[in-house]
Amino acid sequence: MNRLTRRIGDASARRPWVTIAAWLAALALVLPLAGLAAGPFVDDLVAPGSQSEEAMELLEERFPEASGGTAVAVFAAPEGDRVERHRPAIEAAVARIDDVEGAAAVTDPLSAGTVSPDGRTAYTEVAFDVPPMEVDPEEIDALNRAIAPVRDGGIAAELGGDTVFINAETPTSGAEAAGLLAALLVLVIAFGTVAAALVPIALALVTVAAGLGSITLLAHAMDVSTAAPTIGAMIGLGVGIDYALFIVARYRENHAAGQERSTALSNAMGSSGAAVVFAGGTVVVAMTALALTGLGFLTSIGLATSLVVVFAVATALTLLPALLTLLGDRVLKARRSRTRMVKRAEGTAWWRFAHRVSGRPWPYLLVASAVLLALAAPALRMETGFPDAGNDAANTTHRRAYDLLAEGFGPGFNAPLLIVADLRGSGVDAGGIPELSRRLADDPGIASVGEPRFSAAKDTAVLPALPTTAPADPATSRTLDRIRGAVPGNVAVSGLTAMTDDLTRQLSDTLPVFIAAILVVSFVLLMLVFRSVVVPLKAAVMNLLSIGGAYGVVVAVFQWGWLGWLFGVDETLLIASPMPTIFFAVLFGLSMDYEVFLLSRIREAYDATGDAKEAVARGMAVTGRVITSAALIMTVVFLSFVVNPSPLIKMMGLGLATAVVLDATIVRMVLVPASMALLGRAAWWLPRSGSWLHASCRRPPGRTTVAAQSVDAYRQHRHPAEEVPGHGDQP
């Protein structure tokens, strides 16, 4: 891999303008195509093989009129007023709704009696002739325009319902730009030159632009979640800056050690470039593993994020060396002698602290582990549920409609269930439908059961039912279980509430398999990188600790409400059921980034010295400032997403920022030196059966690394009379 990344970097550096032109051409191709062939972003909320999916398939086959999506136009008079007084405006709105293409079965709410007991709120259902996920967003926009004039008369008019909620795009907050400015400030402080600071920002912007364009094209070929672009942009900004930062820092370090610019860049691409490939590969593996859940919307998020990460790696390997070649000395500081560089490394706080931890590893290891376990403790009480419209931002029309309907008709109005009976099967027949309706109405969790509807062939019946509790309320899930357990075998329960409940169950069932798959694949990748069996195991355990701590913080803030005001959380929320799965994939991949970059330098120093403790100290000394800068950048980028109105994105932003902070502080500063000191040489143990890795990962002959040079200089500085053995060729 070192040879490959070196060759790619060398080729790009030799022809910088060609490389830049190729990227500009790629952007010029992808972005216009994305604008022309853009597909809609929708959430495929079907759990394969679930009862809700089977019921919907039955309806689509035999009773398509009952499988179509529905929207709800809600009209509410001011406090103390009644909607009856505004009949002309409401009737005009209903007439405009009826003219919208694709909308059908619209009735006047005042004539139909769909008015709240206090007379203040009324609604009309708008039926579509296609399933909710297939409704054209343009039709929803047309409905919004149809009800807008009603507001001129002083009453509220909002559009809600499952179809509107499913097709609502995830909004952005605009704070991402502030995150980029903060990242630029960190880079200027870290590098000392504006030119060097702008390079990672430029690469991140190219990464996100190319990635989002590709995600839009992907939406033309498959269903892509509405959250995919936001999550992709979040990860793209973070890794795009970090990957460029690590290579630029290594390039500057090589140059400061006395290497000519071209040699310094080539060696940086061979070392840090290879680490970028493995780090990016870990993120891609973790994200594509989301396909193991079998859920379409998670698979799309995994593929979309993987696309962005691939672009981040590609820009770091090609566009970055081209830009560095053209910028020349503008990204470099004055050259320092090797001895001064080693003195500086020896005297850093990182070097001293690593030796301090290595000297008393057990106390540090136990205290750090206890802190992470304490932070992770709230995760044991995690309660998950699928986000509903009531969790969205209060400035969205579907959230306002949700609140008006819950206030006027009860919280269960927003959680409609569809009871579907296959009258061809054994169980209940057409004559038994009234009795089935009575049994359902007797359940304490059911508020009302509507009139049955029969297909034209009289072989399928549908009973609409409203529970007494809200969609994400755990009581609704228990009601659903009771109903499913009480109905005959030819009766199934569907509707968005049942579908999301099935999704939550499938996510819980597949999470252990998903985690195990990521752990196995990442173990193999890290074994290839570090030629060790112990280091990958240690890395996996430490990443699990930091991820657990991040889980705990998210539960404490969102579910328990601790310090919620600090993060714009006004009410306690269930943890979004997709969050633990997406979270683990993203966090495990990102945590491995820092592990790869730190341990690759420790491995270099160990190969050069054979001294395990000194290797850890030197690895931390040379990467301390860079990894800290990278972690700070990643943290501010992720925190900028905490102000996003979407609860899922808000949770992701806080959780990712927390994990990065824990990984860059407790894990890197304490757990890594303590565990490596305890393991000693055993950390790099590889059984004889894996000896082929030594040959496959050998560095090219004749290349002298900065690690070996700096160790030589360090020994000469400390013991000038001693002869320093050569370390030019490392295994």
Side-chain angles (χ1 to χ4, degrees), residues 11-36:
S12 300
R14 283 195 301 269
R15 301 175 181 84
W17 288 114
V18 173
T19 303
I20 294 172
W23 274 102
L24 291 175
L27 289 176
L29 177 66
V30 169
L31 296 181
L33 274 178
L36 294 174

Side-chain angles (χ1 to χ4, degrees), residues 520-540 595 599-600 602-603 606-607 676 679-694 696-697:
V520 169
V521 175
S522 63
F523 173 83
V524 173
L525 283 175
L526 289 183
M527 187 174 67
L528 289 171
V529 177
F530 297 118
R531 303 167 314 214
S532 165
V533 172
V534 180
V535 164
L537 290 175
K538 176 195 71 65
E595 195 79 17
L599 290 179
S600 62
I602 293 175
R603 177 78 212 202
Y606 178 76
D607 287 344
M676 295 295 283
L679 291 169
R681 291 178 177 271
W684 307 108
W685 175 74
L686 186 70
R688 289 181 179 273
S689 59
S691 59
W692 58 274
L693 287 175
H694 292 288
S696 64
C697 295

Side-chain angles (χ1 to χ4, degrees), residues 437-459:
S437 178
R438 285 192 293 271
R439 286 168 52 195
L440 292 172
D442 289 340
D443 188 280
I446 296 296
S448 64
V449 179
E451 292 296 320
R453 299 171 58 196
F454 293 89
S455 62
K458 303 298 183 183
D459 58 358

Side-chain angles (χ1 to χ4, degrees), residues 55-142:
M56 291 307 295
E57 288 178 348
L58 180 67
L59 289 179
E60 289 175 14
E61 177 186 349
R62 300 187 195 170
F63 200 178
E65 305 95 303
S67 68
T70 58
V72 182
V74 186
F75 308 98
E79 194 73 35
D81 197 359
R82 300 176 67 86
V83 290
E84 175 67 33
R85 293 183 57 250
H86 305 273
R87 178 184 287 271
I90 293 175
E91 289 178 344
V94 170
R96 288 191 296 270
I97 292 173
D98 199 34
D99 291 336
V100 174
E101 184 178 356
V106 183
T107 59
D108 177 9
L110 301 177
S111 301
T114 53
V115 181
S116 62
D118 62 2
R120 180 171 170 250
T121 307
Y123 71 88
T124 181
E125 286 193 349
V126 183
F128 296 93
D129 52 8
V130 294
M133 276 77 79
E134 298 178 17
V135 173
D136 190 342
E138 287 293 331
E139 295 176 3
I140 296 176
D141 291 340

Side-chain angles (χ1 to χ4, degrees), residues 651-696:
M651 291 178 189
M652 286 283 294
L654 178 61
L656 292 176
T658 301
V660 169
V661 170
L662 294 177
D663 201 66
T665 54
I666 296 177
V667 172
R668 175 170 56 103
M669 294 173 60
V670 182
L671 289 182
V672 168
S675 60
M676 295 295 283
L678 289 171
L679 291 169
R681 291 178 177 271
W684 307 108
W685 175 74
L686 186 70
R688 289 181 179 273
S689 59
S691 59
W692 58 274
L693 287 175
H694 292 288
S696 64

Side-chain angles (χ1 to χ4, degrees), residues 295-656:
L295 301 178
F297 79 99
L298 283 184
T299 300
S300 70
I301 289 175
L303 292 177
T305 306
S306 297
L307 274 174
V308 180
V309 175
V310 167
F311 277 112
V313 173
T315 56
L317 296 184
T318 58
L319 185 58
L320 178 58
L323 291 175
L324 293 178
T325 299
L326 292 176
L327 290 172
D329 289 335
R330 279 171 286 188
V331 297
L332 299 170
K333 285 184 177 180
R335 183 178 300 177
R336 294 178 173 87
S337 70
R338 286 179 236 163
T339 303
R340 278 189 64 191
M341 184 179 68
V342 173
K343 284 182 180 179
R344 195 174 71 250
E346 177 191 354
T348 61
W350 305 108
W351 188 90
R352 293 194 300 270
F353 190 75
H355 273 293
R356 185 178 305 155
V357 175
S358 299
R360 300 183 61 193
W362 277 114
Y364 282 99
L365 184 68
L366 293 175
V367 171
S369 299
V371 170
L372 290 177
L373 290 173
L375 289 174
L380 298 175
R381 304 293 299 275
M382 182 186 294
E383 296 179 10
T384 61
F386 209 87
D388 57 38
N391 300 133
D392 270 359
N395 62 352
T396 59
T397 185
H398 56 273
R399 167 62 189 273
R400 292 194 293 264
Y402 179 100
D403 291 341
L404 289 172
L405 290 169
E407 180 183 353
F409 302 93
F413 187 92
N414 291 298
L417 302 175
L418 284 181
I419 317 299
V420 182
D422 179 5
L423 301 182
R424 295 182 188 175
S426 59
V428 68
D429 56 15
I433 293 297
E435 174 60 25
L436 175 63
S437 178
R438 285 192 293 271
R439 286 168 52 195
L440 292 172
D442 289 340
D443 188 280
I446 296 296
S448 64
V449 179
E451 292 296 320
R453 299 171 58 196
F454 293 89
S455 62
K458 303 298 183 183
D459 58 358
T460 307
V462 176
L463 281 168
L466 293 178
T468 58
T469 48
D473 193 321
T476 305
S477 182
R478 292 191 292 270
T479 298
L480 187 58
D481 287 340
R482 286 196 308 273
I483 292 175
R484 283 176 167 171
V487 298
N490 65 333
V491 177
V493 184
S494 190
L496 182 61
T497 300
M499 293 168 66
T500 54
D501 189 80
D502 289 339
L503 281 174
T504 299
R505 294 171 190 269
Q506 182 159 332
L507 284 168
S508 299
D509 293 342
T510 57
L511 185 60
V513 177
F514 169 74
I515 291 175
I518 290 181
L519 290 175
V520 169
V521 175
S522 63
F523 173 83
V524 173
L525 283 175
L526 289 183
M527 187 174 67
L528 289 171
V529 177
F530 297 118
R531 303 167 314 214
S532 165
V533 172
V534 180
V535 164
L537 290 175
K538 176 195 71 65
V541 171
M542 291 183 181
N543 284 346
L544 289 175
L545 284 173
S546 62
I547 291 172
Y551 276 172
V553 169
V554 169
V555 169
V557 171
F558 289 91
Q559 186 177 311
W560 295 355
W562 293 4
L563 298 178
W565 58 270
L566 190 60
F567 304 101
V569 180
D570 300 325
E571 56 185 346
T572 57
L573 301 169
L574 293 177
I575 304 304
S577 54
M579 199 278 294
T581 305
I582 301 174
F583 210 43
F584 187 88
V586 175
L587 284 181
F588 198 86
L590 294 181
S591 296
M592 283 298 182
D593 280 1
Y594 296 143
E595 195 79 17
V596 167
F597 287 113
L598 173 59
L599 290 179
S600 62
R601 299 306 295 269
I602 293 175
R603 177 78 212 202
E604 284 184 20
Y606 178 76
D607 287 344
T609 66
D611 185 335
K613 290 185 178 180
E614 180 63 23
V616 173
R618 300 206 64 76
M620 288 185 64
V622 295
T623 62
R625 185 176 184 181
V626 178
I627 292 182
T628 300
S629 300
L632 186 56
I633 290 168
M634 195 87 80
T635 300
V636 297
V637 168
F638 290 154
L639 283 178
S640 69
F641 286 84
V642 172
V643 298
N644 190 287
S646 167
L648 178 61
I649 301 301
K650 193 183 288 285
M651 291 178 189
M652 286 283 294
L654 178 61
L656 292 176

Side-chain angles (χ1 to χ4, degrees), residues 215-276:
I215 292 172
T216 305
L217 291 176
L218 183 67
H220 184 73
M222 61 178 287
D223 289 339
V224 176
S225 170
T226 55
T230 306
I231 295 176
M234 182 192 306
I235 305 304
L237 287 174
V239 299
I241 293 174
D242 272 12
Y243 293 168
L245 170 63
F246 284 118
I247 293 177
V248 172
R250 191 62 181 268
Y251 167 51
R252 287 157 59 92
E253 180 186 336
N254 291 347
H255 185 264
Q259 298 177 11
E260 295 297 325
R261 282 207 315 256
S262 59
T263 304
L265 181 56
S266 180
N267 287 339
M269 297 306 301
S271 53
S272 293
V276 163

